Amino acid sequence: MKKLLIALAATTAMATAAQAEGELNIYNWVEYTSPEMIAKFEKETGIKVTIDTYDTNETLLAKLKAGGTGYDVVMPSQHFVEIMVKEGLLQDTGVGQMANYKNLDPRWQKPSWDPEAKYCAPWQWGTASVAYRKDLYGKELTSLKEFFEPDEAVKGKVQVFKSPDEVYNMANIYLGKPFCSEDAEDAKAVQALFEGQKPFVVTYNSENQNDNLANGTSIMANNWNGFSMRARMDSKTDIHYAYPKEGVVGWFDSACVPVGAKNAENAKKFLDFIMKPENIALQSNYARYSNAIAGSEAFMDKDLAEADELKVPESVPVKFGQACSPAAQKLIDRVWTKLLQ
Amino acid sequence: MLRSTTSNWFGVAPAWLVIGIFGLLPMFIMLAISFMVQDPYGGVEWGFSTEAYVQFLFERDLDDSLILNTIYVNIVARSIGLAAMTTILCLIIGLPVAYFIARQPEDKRNLYMLLITIPFWTNLLIRTYAWILILTRNGVVDARLQWFGFEPGTFDLLYTNTAIFIGLVYSYLPFMVLPLYASLEKMDFRLIEAASDLYASKWQAARHVIIPLARPGIVAGSLLVFIPSIGAFIAPELLGGGKRMMLGSLIYFQFATARNWPFGAAVSILLMAFVMIALLVYARAAKGQGLPAGGH
């Protein structure tokens, strides 16, 4: 399937690269681009937009490294922005000087992965934490301790993500360890925490958390905020998304322009376009994730604008995943394989 | 003479082409990747390395010395055990089923065979999701039990070992029944009558008449169940809850999360080696017994 997508993407890229003016080729995650917003962009600018999709950051990186993609806008997550800048794959767009940059929530201006606001405009962001059945749990979940070192009451009722990507960082947040540590002692501490949690775990699974919470198979489960919101709306059970005091893990996708983009000027127009509240609100309504533009709430669907899942309390830090060194990644893999051996 | 050899060769060329492109080429790509160097962001870099195979048995200490590491051996042992258990369960269920069908009149036999193959009309993943709905708390069975006043969660088998075996046996049982039926169908049932005429009990007749005659089917069926079970991925993950890795999930993890393609490829090659060994054992057993050697 992936190969097929790549092949399709390659042919489209070749077909469109020949004609320059008036076009924009966007390469984005699957089902992650609002058709309504694109239609508005096309109408306002007269630029014809083509969209191709990928399913992992790694795929995107591999394509950009291979070169000659014909893409003008790509949407990497924060840690891959860092890698791509380091590898010289993204071009300086001067996004910080664009007319609409001032609309960014101050919290998201000059983020750590683009500290001089040279490359990317914000697209969507969200958090990973724990969703729980408040009625069955009987109280509010306020600390990661309740997830990693749970009470006997939830024995066999805790669901954990299937891959270490986010939950390993949650453990780091809880233990006060840095992300991507290359220190074996840090890895041992995380290992011990996971081993202690395992007897309470019903399943390591990143897919069925909403169903399992709804039918009571699990009482607390790793979840993403947008997905948890869907569970609450669909199931009509007492599912809450916790913002534990220690912090939550965040992800942040941005719109960036690769080096060698044929339609770089159009790409810049697009970056400026999505920093306007009424435009990015269309995107949020479609994908149901938060954006970083102040004032966009006014244009968002009411249920989305008011959802607790999307509101991070001021006191709760959001810590974004980083691109780990091979040595650090190896420690993470080893801890996880040992846990499930 | 020469001419006929060439034309023969051209005659089978399409078959070789298909085998080469869809069978051998991917295997050689796998083999090549397993000896390459890991690219930290996924993919491989050119260069030769046996690190992936070393990693299977050893881990490197801080001073780069090798320490024996049993993590992966544990996973292999669990996968083999699971596959063996699945094979035995399929055999225990499959043999009476195949015998029953073989003894039916011809039109009924065809109907039963059709019924056995019906599950293949739907994708395995979808059927496994259906099992989630059956086995889960408040699922199809549990909800019915609640009508009769049972507590919610009385029937809750999801994320247990039992669920894994239900899923695996359900998935692979037809592979056992079909070859068993093929060998039992040809059986002369007068032999059983003869056995009972000679005062053999039913059990003795089964042991000394039916099972030896069904042997080719037993061996073929066991292989057909064992081989896919050892790399099984869907049932252990979806029904078992993924609390323990199997070979299939280990390979997936290496490609999807650990970004260690060479090691993932090396584990796949080792898995393939197990399958080859199983086939060789079969070929040896088949020799001199008149069993169909290979080629299912």
Side-chain angles (χ1 to χ4, degrees):
Chain A
M1 187 59 192
K2 204 153 127 190
K3 284 240 173 76
L4 184 72
L5 282 177
I6 292 172
L8 276 177
T11 20
T12 342
M14 272 185 276
T16 46
Q19 319 138 19
E21 289 289 311
E23 297 204 337
L24 183 70
N25 296 312
I26 298 176
Y27 193 38
N28 198 358
W29 299 78
V30 180
E31 285 182 34
Y32 197 36
T33 323
S34 158
E36 215 180 320
M37 184 200 66
I38 293 298
K40 186 163 184 265
F41 177 75
E42 287 182 325
K43 206 173 152 205
E44 283 180 16
T45 60
I47 294 167
K48 167 103 188 59
V49 176
T50 313
I51 295 164
D52 276 326
T53 56
Y54 55 89
D55 55 5
T56 65
N57 279 308
E58 286 82 359
T59 310
L60 170 63
L61 178 68
K63 288 211 77 178
L64 291 187
K65 267 171 115 173
T69 56
Y71 297 125
D72 305 309
V73 175
V74 296
M75 310 277 186
S77 304
Q78 77 286 344
H79 48 310
F80 274 73
V81 171
E82 250 179 299
I83 296 172
M84 287 170 187
V85 168
K86 223 179 278 171
E87 303 246 334
L89 297 169
L90 300 181
Q91 59 173 278
D92 188 339
T93 57
V95 68
Q97 273 79 53
M98 288 182 186
N100 290 322
Y101 194 79
K102 60 175 196 306
N103 295 334
L104 258 70
D105 187 327
R107 184 177 185 177
W108 303 119
Q109 292 193 13
K110 303 187 175 176
S112 63
W113 50 92
D114 187 7
E116 292 165 67
K118 276 163 71 176
Y119 300 100
C120 310
W123 180 247
Q124 304 253 263
W125 69 279
T127 63
S129 173
V130 183
Y132 64 108
R133 280 281 295 269
K134 203 171 178 181
D135 53 338
L136 298 179
Y137 189 48
K139 55 184 170 182
E140 205 165 327
L141 199 159
T142 57
S143 164
L144 282 174
K145 185 181 172 57
E146 297 167 67
F147 176 67
F148 283 117
E149 300 172 75
D151 292 339
E152 284 297 318
V154 293
K155 192 153 200 162
K157 294 283 182 190
V158 177
Q159 177 166 352
V160 179
F161 280 139
K162 180 174 157 47
S163 90
D165 297 334
E166 283 117 345
V167 69
Y168 199 97
N169 281 340
M170 284 174 66
N172 279 330
I173 291 175
Y174 174 55
L175 294 171
K177 304 277 185 197
F179 287 5
C180 295
S181 165
E182 293 181 13
D183 185 347
E185 290 307 314
D186 288 346
K188 271 184 198 158
V190 175
Q191 170 94 51
L193 189 67
F194 282 153
E195 294 288 355
Q197 185 197 31
K198 195 172 181 186
F200 295 87
V201 174
V202 59
T203 173
Y204 292 91
N205 185 327
S206 301
E207 278 173 8
N208 298 74
Q209 55 269 60
N210 285 353
D211 291 340
N212 286 341
L213 283 169
N215 69 27
T217 297
S218 47
I219 290 177
M220 54 177 79
N222 268 152
N223 213 345
W224 297 280
N225 60 345
F227 203 40
S228 184
M229 172 174 65
R230 214 171 291 173
R232 171 173 58 82
M233 289 172 169
D234 291 349
S235 79
K236 297 172 183 77
T237 45
D238 200 16
I239 295 175
H240 288 254
Y241 184 77
Y243 278 101
K245 59 176 191 264
E246 295 88 349
V248 292
V249 176
W251 55 266
F252 198 110
D253 294 342
S254 310
C256 313
V257 184
V259 166
K262 291 260 174 6
N263 307 299
E265 286 315 306
N266 292 348
K268 285 177 197 169
K269 276 183 204 161
F270 183 76
L271 263 51
D272 200 33
F273 175 85
I274 59 167
M275 291 190 289
K276 246 183 157 173
E278 59 268 41
N279 297 340
I280 197 69
L282 293 174
Q283 168 60 26
S284 280
N285 285 342
Y286 173 79
R288 321 265 320 154
Y289 292 114
S290 306
N291 62 66
I293 306 299
S296 65
E297 296 84 2
F299 303 94
M300 271 158 47
D301 294 341
K302 196 162 167 265
D303 57 351
L304 191 65
E306 289 174 354
D308 284 334
E309 288 88 352
L310 301 191
K311 285 187 200 128
V312 186
E314 286 292 327
S315 60
V316 175
V318 181
K319 295 186 181 169
F320 290 92
Q322 298 160 359
C324 294
S325 69
Q329 186 65 39
K330 201 151 224 165
L331 283 176
I332 295 172
D333 299 340
R334 221 192 257 179
V335 165
W336 198 251
T337 314
K338 228 172 190 159
L339 178 71
L340 300 180
Q341 70 169 296
Chain B
M1 191 64 195
L2 185 71
R3 221 180 119 201
S4 81
T5 345
T6 6
S7 66
N8 274 348
W9 195 87
F10 275 116
V12 293
W16 276 110
L17 215 63
V18 169
I19 293 173
I21 293 176
F22 297 108
L24 295 176
L25 187 66
M27 243 163 75
F28 279 115
I29 292 176
M30 251 350 191
L31 191 66
I33 288 178
S34 74
F35 283 107
M36 284 188 197
V37 180
Q38 177 192 359
D39 178 331
Y41 303 121
V44 281
E45 286 165 1
W46 286 105
F48 179 82
S49 162
T50 53
E51 189 63 34
Y53 291 91
V54 174
Q55 192 188 340
F56 195 78
L57 281 180
F58 302 99
E59 56 184 330
R60 286 193 190 278
D61 204 1
L62 297 172
D63 61 357
D64 236 21
S65 61
L66 296 173
I67 320 167
L68 192 68
N69 174 5
T70 55
I71 291 183
Y72 303 116
V73 178
N74 283 348
I75 294 172
V76 172
R78 179 176 313 115
S79 296
I80 292 177
L82 189 85
M85 192 65 200
T86 305
T87 310
I88 292 167
L89 288 172
C90 280
L91 192 59
I92 292 172
I93 301 169
L95 195 57
V97 171
Y99 181 77
F100 170 79
I101 298 174
R103 300 231 51 180
Q104 301 301 311
E106 186 159 357
D107 54 332
K108 269 200 169 170
R109 277 192 300 208
N110 291 338
L111 176 70
Y112 282 123
M113 276 297 108
L114 179 74
L115 292 178
I116 294 271
T117 50
I118 276 184
F120 290 118
W121 298 1
T122 312
N123 182 285
L124 177 62
L125 192 60
I126 293 166
R127 285 183 279 139
T128 308
Y129 266 100
W131 272 109
I132 294 182
L133 299 180
I134 295 170
L135 298 174
T136 188
R137 189 189 168 88
N138 287 343
V140 178
V141 179
D142 196 38
R144 296 301 94 77
L145 285 177
Q146 286 171 36
W147 288 356
F148 300 105
F150 287 95
E151 290 270 301
T154 308
F155 182 89
D156 181 8
L157 285 178
L158 193 62
Y159 306 138
T160 61
N161 287 336
T162 315
I164 299 182
F165 283 120
I166 290 175
L168 286 175
V169 170
Y170 164 79
S171 308
Y172 300 128
L173 190 59
F175 294 124
M176 183 63 91
V177 172
L178 294 174
L180 279 175
Y181 168 76
S183 40
L184 286 175
E185 192 205 11
K186 286 177 290 191
M187 199 173 99
D188 188 344
F189 288 101
R190 286 173 304 182
L191 289 172
I192 298 167
E193 286 161 26
S196 66
D197 284 349
L198 294 169
Y199 299 103
S201 67
K202 278 199 169 137
W203 169 242
Q204 280 172 318
R207 236 191 77 184
H208 295 287
V209 181
I210 301 175
I211 291 181
L213 285 170
R215 220 184 116 103
I218 292 174
V219 177
S222 299
L223 272 176
L224 286 180
V225 172
F226 184 82
I227 290 172
S229 302
I230 198 172
F233 175 71
I234 294 176
E237 285 296 322
L238 293 183
L239 302 177
K243 273 175 284 188
R244 298 228 170 259
M245 273 196 194
M246 301 291 163
L247 269 173
S249 29
L250 177 65
I251 294 169
Y252 175 82
F253 180 73
Q254 294 308 320
F255 282 98
T257 306
R259 296 179 203 146
N260 192 344
W261 288 23
F263 185 59
V267 178
S268 311
I269 296 287
L270 290 171
L271 174 59
M272 229 171 332
F274 284 123
V275 173
M276 290 289 268
I277 291 168
L279 285 172
L280 283 177
V281 169
Y282 172 61
R284 288 194 80 169
K287 233 187 211 171
Q289 288 202 30
L291 304 187
H296 314 286

